[in-house]
Amino acid sequence: MMRSFLKWTWIEIKLFCREPLAVFFSLLLPLLLFFLFGTLARVEYLNNMVPSLVGMIVATNGLITLPVQVATYREKQILRRFSATPMHPYIVLLGEMITMLAMTLLGFVLLLLVAKFGYDITVAGNIISLMGACCLSTIAFLSLGFIVGGLFTTARTTQIMGMVAFYPMLFLCGTTIPLEAIGEPVRSYIEFLPLTHVVTLHSGIWFGDSWNQHIKEICILLGTSGASFLISAKTFRWE
Amino acid sequence: MEQSSTVIEITNLSKSYGPIIALQDVSLTIAKAEIFGVVGPNGAGKTTLLECMEGLRKPDHGQISIQGVNPLTQTAKLREFVGIQLQEAALPDRIRVWEALDLYASLYCKSQDPKYLMEQFGLDKHANTPFSKLSGGQKQRLCIALSLIHSPDILFLDELTTGLDPQARHKIWDLLRDLKKQGKTIVLTTHLMEEASELCDRIAILDFGKIIALDRPDNLIQQYATTYQVILEMKDQSMLHELEAFPGLVLHQETRFVFHFSDQGLRDMLDLVLRNRAKFGAWTIRPPSLEDAFLKLTGHAIREEGVKHDA
Ligand SMILES: Nc1ncnc2c1ncn2[C@@H]1O[C@H](COP(=O)(O)OP(=O)(O)O)[C@@H](O)[C@H]1O
Ligand SMILES: [Mg+2]
């Protein structure tokens, strides 16, 4: 069973890399944005860019790429075909999740490399902690993605609904507009959006905070993961 | 081959989707190494019947036993000796042929060599082709190969040749005949009458979820289809009056005549044509077909797809 799980995950990674749109939005677009800001903005501002762009990658993969992929598998009866084999379709979804986690980390590492070698920006914080924060954030968003991916029959609707969830978060959670620039009344709502905590956690660790200083974000992201997995297990449509 | 060992037994199977009755009191048995066809128009319940046998759908009533295994409660056991091809080809677009075979091979305790299957199914030249770039026939052959990867005893194939050209279809029929020779039992659905009568040992005709006939194709034809069609070209006008007065005429267009006959009428017509051979051009006799039997049994042609379903 382990062998087929690994095989499937490896195939999923290859499938991801063969999908130009997924590669563009998950891996290349954040780099392009970084280059764009790199030529426009001052270096102090660039330093803030990496945590924001990580938030963007995490949210894209969790709210759009993963749900669309899952909905496509359902729409094309791929999940049903697997349920006609000894491999449980849960394994299919797990492979999907591992793939997206790996791809998010890859996007993150590419971003770090570009920051370091392109603009000589180095991380003040601990790189391992940063990776850990990235994993935690990704898992929280992928689990949200299973809710989105499990609700609608077609991949097309799923994509639209994913975007409906994605764009407000992108603009409100400090990924595009700094949190400080957003007025008080809206800010209290922003607290409810998980992406806010992803960006806060990443910025903190990026500038050298320890995990202890971010217990709140960690708990919120862990809670989001747990709750979303439970919800998606209840609401997921297999066909 | 008749009444050897029974491998599939279905009794009083019923299934509804809300108000839609998909299967009504279906009972049948299928013997080892039989090619069994489930025939009927779209929406007749063919897929539902197959998927109940595959353990993918839960019937409302009735029993199913596949080599003594209950598909719902002993699903894991069933998976080991049953091969399945769903109505829709279900693979990711960009997966390569060898990847799909290699993955499926890893799902079972014992499985056939993917290379051997690729050769056997004429896919070896396409090992690196993405699924979406395969032709319809190649896709179907890959799906059959995948369903055979663990050498199952029983194969379920849903609308396997729909949308294929005749050449690709004949190639698949040959493959299935080979599998039958190896002792595999094959249950397939089709709405092609030609496929049912050429390939299947027995067929069940399904209409609105009920089996309305179940027999060998030749028996069904003999029992329900008795009409021969004769098409005849006249060379000159000398036989015009005789032909126009001939009983059984259904169509007359200029020099072309079409007749429908039972045995006696056919004898008289053959007599007439053979005695006056020089006066006629091309002529053909079409024997009664399964399509005619279907029409007789259901009162509608199979191609009027899924009509009057709420009746
Ligand atoms: N999952 C489903 N939900 C609701 N109705 C369904 C479902 N699957 C099939 N049906 C309906 O049940 C009937 C039989 O369908 P099906 O078994 O697919 O027939 P066939 O394979 O002969 O075309 C059709 O009227 C179809 O619309
Ligand atoms: Mg069908």
Side-chain angles (χ1 to χ4, degrees):
Chain A
M1 204 75 273
M2 196 60 199
R3 191 168 59 110
S4 43
F5 167 66
L6 292 177
K7 222 162 218 165
W8 166 244
T9 308
W10 179 233
I11 287 177
E12 284 254 50
I13 290 175
K14 289 192 277 185
L15 292 177
F16 178 93
C17 296
R18 288 174 198 159
E19 190 72 58
L21 274 182
V23 171
F24 178 75
F25 280 104
S26 301
L27 298 177
L28 296 182
L29 185 62
L31 295 183
L32 285 178
L33 287 175
F34 195 80
F35 282 125
L36 181 70
F37 284 105
T39 46
L40 294 178
R42 281 169 310 172
V43 176
E44 308 93 84
Y45 182 69
L46 266 190
N47 222 339
N48 286 315
M49 275 294 289
V50 179
S52 303
L53 287 175
V54 174
M56 189 176 129
I57 300 176
V58 166
T60 311
N61 288 348
L63 295 177
I64 300 175
T65 316
L66 176 100
V68 169
Q69 189 70 349
V70 167
T72 306
Y73 282 173
R74 179 179 43 242
E75 198 176 355
K76 295 202 159 182
Q77 308 240 355
I78 291 167
L79 293 176
R80 289 194 87 218
R81 183 60 184 87
F82 276 114
S83 56
T85 72
M87 181 160 99
H88 197 281
Y90 275 127
I91 302 285
V92 179
L93 298 186
L94 187 62
E96 181 64 35
M97 179 160 171
I98 303 284
T99 303
M100 291 317 300
L101 182 60
M103 291 301 125
T104 312
L105 288 174
L106 177 64
F108 179 52
V109 169
L110 289 177
L111 208 54
L112 289 181
L113 291 176
V114 168
K116 172 135 180 61
F117 295 107
Y119 301 92
D120 204 22
I121 299 169
T122 39
V123 194
N126 179 337
I127 196 97
I128 302 291
S129 301
L130 216 49
M131 290 298 231
C134 187
C135 282
L136 176 60
S137 320
T138 308
I139 289 171
F141 269 80
L142 293 177
S143 60
L144 283 171
F146 281 117
I147 301 184
V148 180
L151 285 179
F152 312 102
T153 23
T154 67
R156 189 93 195 95
T157 323
T158 307
Q159 185 180 20
I160 292 167
M161 298 316 279
M163 285 178 166
V164 166
F166 173 74
Y167 279 108
M169 285 211 209
L170 189 68
F171 288 114
L172 291 174
C173 299
T175 35
T176 41
I177 308 166
L179 278 180
E180 298 76 38
I182 294 173
E184 256 326 303
V186 185
R187 281 191 78 169
S188 49
Y189 291 108
I190 291 175
E191 280 287 305
F192 291 103
L193 299 177
L195 192 57
T196 312
H197 305 286
V198 169
V199 176
T200 311
L201 177 67
H202 272 268
S203 310
I205 293 189
W206 179 264
F207 290 109
D209 288 358
S210 71
W211 286 93
N212 291 344
Q213 290 165 275
H214 292 282
I215 300 290
K216 180 182 142 203
E217 281 79 23
I218 292 164
C219 289
I220 289 174
L221 291 176
L222 283 176
T224 306
S225 311
S228 313
F229 278 127
L230 287 180
I231 294 173
S232 66
K234 287 266 177 258
T235 57
F236 197 88
R237 280 171 186 256
W238 291 100
E239 17 188 298
Chain B
M1 179 215 72
E2 232 139 53
Q3 289 309 315
S4 53
S5 57
T6 297
V7 289
I8 297 176
E9 191 162 12
I10 296 178
T11 33
N12 309 113
L13 191 70
S14 299
K15 168 86 182 164
S16 304
Y17 302 101
I20 299 171
I21 299 169
L23 291 176
Q24 275 184 74
D25 206 23
V26 167
S27 300
L28 53 87
T29 58
I30 299 174
K32 185 170 162 52
E34 195 169 22
I35 301 185
F36 188 91
V38 181
V39 179
N42 279 348
K46 304 183 294 295
T47 298
T48 305
L49 177 58
L50 245 67
E51 294 192 347
C52 285
M53 295 192 234
E54 294 159 355
L56 292 173
R57 287 183 206 231
K58 192 174 177 294
D60 301 334
H61 304 286
Q63 273 85 48
I64 304 175
S65 153
I66 316 282
Q67 286 191 6
V69 164
N70 179 337
L72 279 182
T73 56
Q74 298 166 284
T75 318
K77 203 166 165 194
L78 183 80
R79 298 279 170 257
E80 291 293 330
F81 64 85
V82 154
I84 291 173
Q85 190 244 5
L86 298 178
Q87 180 166 353
E88 269 151 87
L91 282 170
D93 282 346
R94 290 171 206 269
I95 198 167
R96 309 233 158 111
V97 168
W98 75 267
E99 288 172 339
L101 284 161
D102 186 46
L103 173 68
Y104 274 66
S106 76
L107 302 181
Y108 298 90
C109 307
K110 55 172 178 54
S111 43
Q112 300 193 56
D113 178 15
K115 273 212 192 77
Y116 167 76
L117 278 174
M118 276 193 277
E119 277 164 27
Q120 199 189 354
F121 286 81
L123 292 164
D124 35 351
K125 282 193 217 68
H126 303 281
N128 274 311
T129 310
F131 181 66
S132 60
K133 293 279 189 319
L134 294 174
S135 73
Q138 289 162 349
K139 278 184 186 164
Q140 295 299 57
R141 272 182 279 146
L142 176 58
C143 288
I144 302 176
L146 290 175
S147 68
L148 283 172
I149 198 113
H150 53 305
S151 314
D153 307 325
I154 303 173
L155 266 187
F156 292 104
L157 307 169
D158 199 354
E159 304 253 350
L160 155 92
T161 63
T162 302
L164 297 190
D165 56 67
Q167 216 176 346
R169 189 171 291 144
H170 280 278
K171 216 164 165 177
I172 286 183
W173 292 354
D174 289 340
L175 283 172
L176 297 187
R177 289 190 188 108
D178 275 353
L179 291 171
K180 175 189 161 69
K181 274 189 213 131
Q182 295 166 28
K184 299 201 189 298
T185 309
I186 300 171
V187 184
L188 57 87
T189 73
T190 181
H191 57 252
L192 300 173
M193 287 303 178
E194 191 200 351
E195 179 160 280
S197 52
E198 287 214 10
L199 188 62
C200 299
D201 298 312
R202 282 190 311 148
I203 58 177
I205 295 183
L206 208 58
D207 201 24
F208 303 121
K210 275 191 191 147
I211 292 188
I212 53 174
L214 195 165
D215 209 332
R216 285 168 34 180
D218 49 355
N219 285 349
L220 287 173
I221 293 169
Q222 201 182 0
Q223 197 173 345
Y224 296 103
T226 45
T227 311
Y228 291 86
Q229 190 183 49
V230 174
I231 302 172
L232 193 60
E233 288 284 340
M234 243 177 12
K235 265 194 191 148
D236 54 42
Q237 300 293 310
S238 57
M239 298 297 291
L240 181 66
H241 292 297
E242 202 157 345
L243 286 179
E244 278 184 336
F246 210 91
L249 178 67
V250 290
L251 189 75
H252 173 201
Q253 278 177 331
E254 294 168 30
T255 59
R256 185 167 171 270
F257 289 81
V258 178
F259 298 91
H260 284 179
F261 295 119
S262 60
D263 291 359
Q264 183 54 48
L266 181 70
R267 209 167 294 137
D268 297 343
M269 173 51 75
L270 286 182
D271 208 39
L272 177 78
V273 174
L274 294 177
R275 270 191 289 107
N276 303 283
R277 191 66 198 88
K279 293 175 183 163
F280 297 107
W283 65 292
T284 54
I285 306 175
R286 198 174 64 83
S289 69
L290 197 55
E291 189 106 36
D292 303 328
F294 185 87
L295 188 66
K296 180 79 171 281
L297 277 161
T298 63
H300 59 85
I302 191 152
R303 293 195 187 280
E304 296 166 22
E305 308 198 322
V307 284
K308 53 174 186 179
H309 198 272
D310 45 0

